[in-house]
Amino acid sequence: MKPIHLLTVSGSLRNGSFNTAIAESAITLAPSGITVARFNGIGDLPLFNPDLDRGDVPPAVATWRAALAAADAILVSTPEYAFGVPGVMKNALDWVVSSGEFVHKPTAVISASSSSAGGDKAHAAISQILAVMTATLVEGASLLVPQAGVKIGADGQIKDAELAQALREVLAKLLGAVENHPAP
């Protein structure tokens, strides 16, 4: 069986982001059978405008859509800003609502925050958005990471064994979802 290609995307543009650190950690914690790449270009996407989504789309949008289409599964890791999804993440999702790259795609959702709630409101909001887009939200591939600053070092490395194990389990659930329900 060919390796399963997982694409990770962080909803944060901040240097030192906990969510970016989690997306990066997926690369080293992934079980055998998964290759992991991280999409780094959501900050390059223009603001969504349906008038720009006709014919040739902006190059950054074409790159985003191609990366999603090539993936067998997707891991979204996002912070919470003002009890919601960061604008840059929502904008990235808006660009793929009508093009359908998330349709039936096994997807994991993680939200990490320095708060004790772990970004639960953003997590719920992005899960709802992805469900409307008909992504396959994989059961057990959802994770809230409260007090992320205690669990992720300044170097971006996960230093909490329980968090590392939880991320391994999310990745295993994604692998199982792809193996059990291959793309049509």
Side-chain angles (χ1 to χ4, degrees):
M1 180 176 200
K2 73 174 184 123
I4 291 169
H5 176 61
L6 172 68
L7 182 69
T8 67
V9 60
S10 170
S12 177
L13 301 179
R14 182 177 70 82
N15 288 330
S17 160
F18 301 133
N19 288 281
T20 301
I22 288 170
E24 285 291 322
S25 294
I27 295 169
T28 57
L29 295 176
S32 64
I34 294 184
T35 62
V36 182
R38 191 167 74 81
F39 186 79
N40 296 313
I42 66 170
D44 299 329
L45 296 168
L47 291 176
F48 177 69
N49 178 343
D51 292 337
L52 298 177
D53 199 10
R54 298 182 182 141
D56 292 332
V57 296
V61 174
T63 300
W64 169 230
R65 288 177 175 175
L68 290 167
D72 298 307
I74 301 164
L75 183 149
V76 176
S77 183
T78 190
E80 179 176 285
Y81 293 165
F83 285 180
V85 176
V88 69
M89 185 78 246
K90 178 64 168 82
N91 184 59
L93 294 175
D94 285 346
W95 275 110
V96 294
V97 168
S98 64
S99 57
E101 287 78 12
F102 272 96
V103 173
H104 305 302
K105 187 87 59 161
T107 304
V109 178
I110 297 174
S111 185
S113 172
S114 56
S115 78
S116 60
D120 61 335
K121 290 164 188 64
H123 190 276
I126 200 162
S127 296
Q128 182 179 29
I129 293 165
L130 290 165
V132 167
M133 294 170 63
T134 63
T136 299
L137 298 175
V138 176
E139 189 173 334
S142 176
L143 184 62
L144 291 172
V145 182
Q147 301 172 332
V150 175
K151 299 172 183 178
I152 299 169
D155 60 358
Q157 299 297 308
I158 293 176
K159 59 184 185 176
D160 180 79
E162 287 180 22
L163 174 56
Q165 183 56 35
L167 183 53
R168 282 187 195 96
E169 290 170 12
V170 164
L171 295 167
K173 293 286 186 178
L174 277 176
L175 176 63
V178 173
E179 288 177 338
N180 293 324
H181 301 287

